[in-house]
Amino acid sequence: MSVPTTTDPVGRARDAAARESWAEAYQLLHAHDRHPTRGLTADDLSVLADAAWWSGHVDESVTARLRAHAAYLAADDHRGAGLASWWLHYEYAGLGRPAAAAGWLHRARHHLEDLPDCPEQCFLEMTAAEEASARGDHGTALAATRRMTALALACGSPDLLALSRQAESRALLAAGRRTEGLTLLDDAMCAVSAGELSGMVTGWLYCLALTQCMEAADFARAVEWTNAAMEWCAPPWTGRPPDEDPTATATAAMTTASASASEESAAGTAPLPMTVPSGENPFRGVCRAHRVEVLDLLGAWALAEAEARQACREVPVDCLESAAAAYYAAGDVQRRQGRLEAAAVSYGHAHELGRIPQPGLALLRLAQGRADAAVAGVDLALACRSDPDHDVLGRARLLAARTEVALAVRDLPGAARAAADLDALAGAADGDVPLLRALADTALGSVALAEKRPGALLPLRRALAGWLELRVPYEAAQVRMLLAAACRDAGDEEAARLELGTARAVFERLGAVPDARRAAALVGGGSRRRLPGGLTARGAEVLRLVASGGTNKDIARALVISEHTVARHLNNIFAKLGVGSRASATAYAYAHGLV
């Protein structure tokens, strides 16, 4: 770290910016700029804009950038004005103002396109690649990224070269060339891991990498880069060992969650030194929302919900899409914990902010016994996915939920179709995608189990192995519940009890209260279990037969009672469970482990 050699506040601010001490630079320049007789040069205004953004003052960043552009223009510096214009385009897009963003992108092109080759043109090529990929013109997108690479190599900038590698990786992934795209992303992230880049580009690439990995359903990479980004963003250590530091980092929490998720102990390594001062965390907006998704899958639910709340607090300085994703992720956590009313509120907020809250809302309705609403919700969400290549993980989750909902209402053909579509989606991916494969195997095994086919054990065991390898505890425990049923069908009661016991322990550790109760009831045996919804033993028998598709006449014959008595039982059951149809009662029975 260099030592300031001047008492001039602007000089000290420049020195702080060179050391990437952005909060210090912001305070010095902000105080200097407020004095009526002082002024800042175009370059100093650009530094103020960067420092304000880094410190979380995005509105002030835009204001300073506007002034910097005007100053560059007054000095006839088109390279400086072009770069300022591009950053204004980027910041306005992040603020959810597409018209302003488009206007400043046009200005950036006006300033830069007719100039000889220069580093600032890299940003135009990056934007051109993104636009071409969005309209499906993958050849044009790749050509733009390669022009960006040539410009970066010519000017010898490690920052721009790493950004060009990332841009080409994104274009390759959009073109369906998954293996090439992820290989190039790893290449770009090598420069990040080695500390070869500026802080601004380091934070930017961490966020872009996490977004790409989640969109590509590459959960292992998403976990790795989220861990690294959180270590980099966390406050510096105070000299004490990591386990004694009072500010426990997100990485430590994620490591703990990941270890418990694998259901085995593992020795950890000491975190890397922290480099980003407290209060200068750029990991906000969509980056934080994706991190919530990662934490949710890892089973770190308390931390995921806390991060979701933080993402929502950041709405004034980031686009609403990020807050919608955070609310949705919080709803998923609350639903699995059995906090159904809180989950409904979170899904409602996500919907208000423009996100279709599926499949989480459909699974919530299923848990509430509203099977018709569950079926309609997930079917509509699938129909809205007109482009199956966009957000592969999102489509896979919808198909998995469609399988579960169809099984709950005894629509075996519908469940089989959804599982087959999910299997095809996993098989069509370029290269192995463990998360998609685990989702598909879970769906295939659950359908085979419902159809009473002997082949359910094989896909379910593959699914369990996949979830354990990914360190995703909740889904692994759900598969163990299915395996227990398959083992019982095969006459292996001991194996069934082992699976149920392990699943129960995981559910209890996670705080998945409804699932833990269901597992405990199945472990304890039907005679000792407390029936849900205030059902009597006879009521539960009637409900099981309804869920199996029996008519009143069938049920009366099976239980040796009159159809009038069956109708009376059904009226009592509907009243106790708060449902109004046989389909809803069936969904309730499946959701609460009565079938």
Side-chain angles (χ1 to χ4, degrees):
M1 184 180 295
S2 61
V3 178
T5 58
T6 177
T7 58
D8 172 42
V10 175
R12 287 160 54 204
R14 291 171 185 160
D15 180 81
R19 292 182 279 112
E20 296 187 340
S21 180
W22 296 110
E24 180 185 353
Y26 168 76
Q27 290 168 1
L28 289 166
L29 289 174
H30 181 71
H32 183 85
D33 192 45
R34 293 181 66 183
H35 197 283
T37 62
R38 298 170 183 166
L40 294 174
T41 67
D43 288 341
D44 290 334
L45 286 167
S46 292
V47 173
L48 175 58
D50 289 344
W53 181 90
W54 200 264
S55 303
H57 305 283
V58 179
D59 51 346
E60 294 183 49
S61 174
V62 170
T63 300
R65 196 88 62 189
L66 288 166
R67 293 170 58 201
H69 173 266
Y72 283 125
L73 201 57
D76 201 30
D77 181 350
H78 284 276
R79 284 177 57 180
L83 185 59
S85 297
W86 187 90
W87 275 111
L88 283 165
H89 145 74
Y90 180 82
E91 291 188 87
Y92 275 125
L95 289 167
R97 296 183 58 186
W104 283 103
L105 179 59
H106 178 76
R107 281 203 176 187
R109 287 170 174 156
H110 171 75
H111 287 304
L112 297 172
E113 279 182 339
D114 295 331
L115 295 179
D117 288 353
C118 60
E120 291 81 3
Q121 291 168 345
C122 284
F123 296 98
L124 294 183
E125 298 296 350
M126 183 167 66
T127 303
E130 291 173 355
E131 291 176 338
S133 290
R135 62 177 182 266
D137 188 353
H138 303 304
T140 298
L142 286 168
T145 64
R146 286 160 187 164
R147 287 194 299 273
M148 181 182 178
T149 299
L151 289 166
L153 288 169
C155 69
S157 167
D159 278 356
L160 292 176
L161 184 59
L163 283 171
S164 73
R165 295 276 191 256
Q166 185 278 331
E168 186 174 356
S169 163
R170 191 174 187 85
L172 287 167
L173 288 170
R177 295 160 63 177
R178 176 187 176 85
T179 302
E180 293 175 79
L182 290 175
T183 298
L184 204 56
L185 178 62
D186 290 343
D187 180 278
M189 296 306 290
C190 281
V192 174
S193 303
E196 298 170 359
L197 310 179
S198 69
M200 179 71 79
V201 173
T202 295
W204 198 3
L205 283 176
Y206 271 134
C207 188
L208 291 171
L210 176 57
T211 300
Q212 281 181 244
C213 291
M214 291 303 293
E215 289 176 353
D218 194 319
F219 184 61
R221 278 184 172 86
V223 171
E224 182 175 348
W225 295 127
T226 302
N227 269 321
M230 288 303 100
E231 289 176 357
W232 179 77
C233 286
W237 297 119
T238 59
R240 288 171 291 184
D243 59 351
E244 294 180 8
D245 196 288
T247 56
T249 65
T251 301
M254 289 179 63
T255 303
T256 302
S258 180
S260 67
S262 67
E263 301 173 6
E264 57 193 19
S265 60
T269 56
L272 297 172
M274 304 299 119
T275 59
V276 180
S278 179
E280 300 181 14
N281 188 337
F283 211 70
R284 39 183 198 260
V286 69
C287 308
R288 192 185 296 279
H290 281 311
R291 181 174 179 245
V292 172
E293 289 186 73
V294 171
L295 291 168
D296 179 23
L297 284 168
L298 286 175
W301 289 353
L303 185 56
E305 196 169 359
E307 286 291 299
R309 285 195 296 270
Q310 179 64 23
C312 296
R313 283 194 291 269
E314 292 168 348
V315 172
V317 295
D318 282 299
C319 60
L320 299 181
E321 179 185 356
S322 306
Y327 274 122
Y328 177 83
D332 276 353
V333 171
Q334 292 155 350
R335 171 176 56 79
R336 290 168 172 173
Q337 291 176 329
R339 298 156 56 197
L340 302 188
E341 291 184 5
V345 171
S346 293
Y347 290 141
H349 285 318
H351 182 264
E352 289 169 6
L353 294 171
R355 176 174 179 137
I356 298 175
Q358 297 291 3
L361 184 59
L363 297 175
L364 173 64
R365 297 304 180 221
L366 191 62
Q368 293 171 328
R370 298 172 56 186
D372 293 343
V375 172
V378 76
D379 281 349
L380 181 60
L382 277 167
C384 290
R385 298 260 172 171
S386 56
D387 181 5
D389 295 328
H390 177 68
D391 190 10
V392 174
L393 180 56
R395 180 169 178 79
R397 284 170 163 164
L398 282 170
L399 288 169
R402 182 65 181 89
T403 306
E404 184 176 345
V405 169
L407 288 175
V409 298
R410 304 303 293 163
D411 176 15
L412 294 184
R417 284 193 300 272
D421 288 347
L422 182 50
D423 186 41
L425 185 66
D430 175 24
D432 184 38
V433 190
L435 183 56
L436 297 184
R437 187 71 264 156
L439 282 167
D441 285 337
T442 302
L444 292 170
S446 63
V447 171
L449 181 63
E451 293 176 343
K452 302 295 183 183
R453 286 192 275 117
L457 279 170
L458 181 59
L460 289 175
R461 292 203 183 282
R462 282 201 313 261
L464 178 60
W467 291 123
L468 290 178
E469 183 178 353
L470 288 166
R471 299 174 180 261
V472 177
Y474 180 79
E475 278 72 10
Q478 290 278 27
V479 171
R480 288 190 185 278
M481 297 287 283
L482 296 171
L483 272 171
C487 290
R488 278 184 172 162
D489 285 350
D492 191 345
E493 184 64 30
E494 182 179 3
R497 288 187 176 279
L498 285 172
E499 297 293 359
L500 288 170
T502 303
R504 176 186 179 183
V506 173
F507 289 141
E508 288 176 347
R509 183 170 67 240
L510 292 172
V513 176
D515 294 290
R517 288 175 179 165
R518 184 160 58 99
L522 292 172
V523 169
S527 61
R528 296 191 301 274
R529 63 185 295 190
R530 177 178 296 177
L531 295 169
L535 290 172
T536 64
R538 175 64 87 180
E541 285 182 300
V542 172
L543 183 55
R544 289 190 191 99
L545 291 170
V546 169
S548 299
T551 64
N552 284 15
K553 187 174 181 179
D554 296 331
I555 297 168
R557 187 183 302 115
L559 299 180
V560 196
I561 57 178
S562 69
E563 289 186 49
H564 175 76
T565 303
V566 172
R568 180 166 51 80
H569 279 305
L570 283 177
N571 285 334
N572 291 335
I573 289 168
F574 286 3
K576 286 179 179 179
L577 303 185
V579 300
S581 68
R582 298 174 85 93
S584 296
T586 297
Y588 185 96
Y590 274 89
H592 291 81
L594 293 171
V595 180

